[in-house]
Amino acid sequence: QVHLVESGGGSVQTGGSLRLSCAASSSMYSNYCMGWFRQDPGKEREGIAAIDSDGSTSYADSVKGRFTISKDNAENTLYLQMNSLKPEDTTMYYCAAGDGVVTALRVFEYNYWGQGTQVTVSS
């Protein structure tokens, strides 16, 4: 069992930056694929960034070049550095862990989810 807790959300102006963190309860998380997802109310959850156990990363086109995913295995923490934020980035952000992920940004392949953190970007 992996328990995930996100933090770092908040409000920022267009062009600003935020760093999201996701603390994992289990050291086993270093063997999992970790991802960041976001979801607007009434819409499907979207995978935006993922990092596998070997450190390889994947990004959605909507965030490529602006967001960077990383992890600190010693601290059991996943990060999402978000730069050049836009109003359309406003939504809830979730971290997730999966122990059998084949396609990095596919929602249903992840087993464990955090409760989410809100990001608001004002114009």
Side-chain angles (χ1 to χ4, degrees):
Q1 186 76 17
V2 178
H3 183 59
L4 304 172
V5 179
E6 302 96 335
S7 61
S11 297
V12 66
Q13 292 188 326
T14 297
S17 297
L18 284 173
R19 189 175 79 158
L20 305 184
S21 298
C22 174
S25 62
S26 171
S27 61
M28 290 298 294
Y29 111 106
S30 62
N31 297 322
Y32 291 9
C33 184
M34 303 293 296
W36 286 99
F37 298 78
R38 62 187 184 186
Q39 184 175 23
D40 285 331
K43 295 188 177 180
E44 290 188 358
R45 192 164 293 188
E46 170 195 21
I48 58 172
I51 184 165
D52 210 337
S53 56
D54 64 359
S56 59
T57 57
S58 303
Y59 294 95
D61 289 342
S62 58
V63 305
K64 198 173 294 182
R66 300 189 298 124
F67 293 8
T68 302
I69 189 170
S70 63
K71 63 178 182 174
D72 185 333
N73 289 340
E75 297 293 329
N76 291 351
T77 303
L78 177 73
Y79 299 101
L80 185 68
Q81 178 66 43
M82 305 187 295
N83 298 328
S84 303
L85 282 161
K86 306 174 183 180
E88 50 263 44
D89 295 317
T90 295
T91 191
M92 284 290 288
Y93 285 74
Y94 301 87
C95 70
D99 60 0
V101 173
V102 175
T103 304
L105 300 180
R106 194 173 294 176
V107 173
F108 69 81
E109 297 204 34
Y110 288 78
N111 311 92
Y112 306 103
W113 292 86
Q115 293 300 306
T117 185
Q118 175 70 37
V119 170
T120 302
V121 185
S122 58
S123 57

